[in-house]
Structure formats: C-alpha cells, structure tokens
Amino acid sequence: RHDTPHDCLQDLREKGFRVYCAKPEAPAHDVATRPVPLTELDFSSKTALVFGNENIGVSPQLSAGADGDFTIHMFGLTESLNVSVAAAVCMHWGRYSRTAALGVTTDLSEEDSKALL
C-alpha cells in the first residue's frame, strides 16, 4: 500500500515498471491528447496499467506522473466498458502480448513456480 499516488508511481518505477492510465478515446481531431490504443502498448517490459473509477477516471495526480495514457478501441455504438470488464480485457491482451514478445508463458522462475504448487 502507498500513502500517495506519487509514492505508488515511485515504487513501480524503482521496480522497473512503465505506467499507463486508462482513458476514453479522444476525438479524432484531438491528436495531442489521444491515448495510445491498448494493442500498441509494448508489454515486453514490465507494464502497470491504472484504472480509475467509472465516474471520474484516474486521479489527476497519478495521471500526470504516468508514462502515458491508453485506450481500448471499441467499434460500433459502445462508448465504454465497466471498469472490471476493461481490466479483464487489458490483462488478457497484456498476457497474450507479453507471451508473444518474450516467447515464454510465465515470468516466474522454475523455482518460484514450484514454490507456488
């Protein structure tokens, strides 16, 4: 646990993570603030994804200190996903992308894997 968003970001960075905040898609003409599509994030290195609540999103303090913003591109009339669904989609895509990038199915050492069994 961390007392402030800054403490959380600092701890993640000390552990080698890049931090990205979930944001809604920006209008096509708003290139400067357009978040990166989830499918374009590089999961070959440690990546932390931040999700805010469904009403106000990620806190301004945490968002300002993050490495960037990302969005889940949606087709059709859907404008947003429930935060738990968004997190599940992102975790699945991140795991899939990391496996493809690194050519391994786990980040755990053989010793760590055995300890968990």
Side-chain angles (χ1 to χ4, degrees):
R1 303 232 177 228
H2 303 91
D3 293 327
T4 68
H6 177 267
D7 292 345
C8 179
L9 288 169
Q10 184 175 352
D11 186 42
L12 286 167
R13 291 227 171 76
E14 287 172 2
K15 293 176 180 171
F17 283 85
R18 290 173 303 119
V19 180
Y20 292 94
C21 296
K23 296 285 177 81
E25 289 189 79
H29 66 276
D30 194 0
V31 178
T33 61
R34 190 179 308 157
V36 174
L38 172 68
T39 55
E40 293 180 20
L41 289 180
D42 178 8
F43 286 96
S44 65
S45 61
K46 293 179 178 182
T47 305
L49 303 179
V50 179
F51 299 88
N53 74 38
E54 294 156 357
N55 291 326
I56 59 172
V58 176
S59 74
Q61 299 91 344
L62 207 143
S63 185
D67 295 299
D69 298 325
F70 76 94
T71 190
I72 302 170
H73 183 69
M74 292 176 273
F75 299 96
L77 301 175
T78 304
E79 292 183 10
S80 66
L81 298 172
N82 172 285
V83 70
S84 64
V85 173
V89 166
C90 292
M91 285 185 281
H92 174 74
W93 180 257
R95 180 77 252 157
Y96 174 83
S97 297
R98 188 162 175 81
T99 297
L102 300 180
V104 296
T105 58
T106 182
D107 289 323
L108 296 174
S109 68
E110 187 174 329
E111 181 181 314
D112 289 341
S113 292
K114 287 179 182 177
L116 291 172
L117 297 176

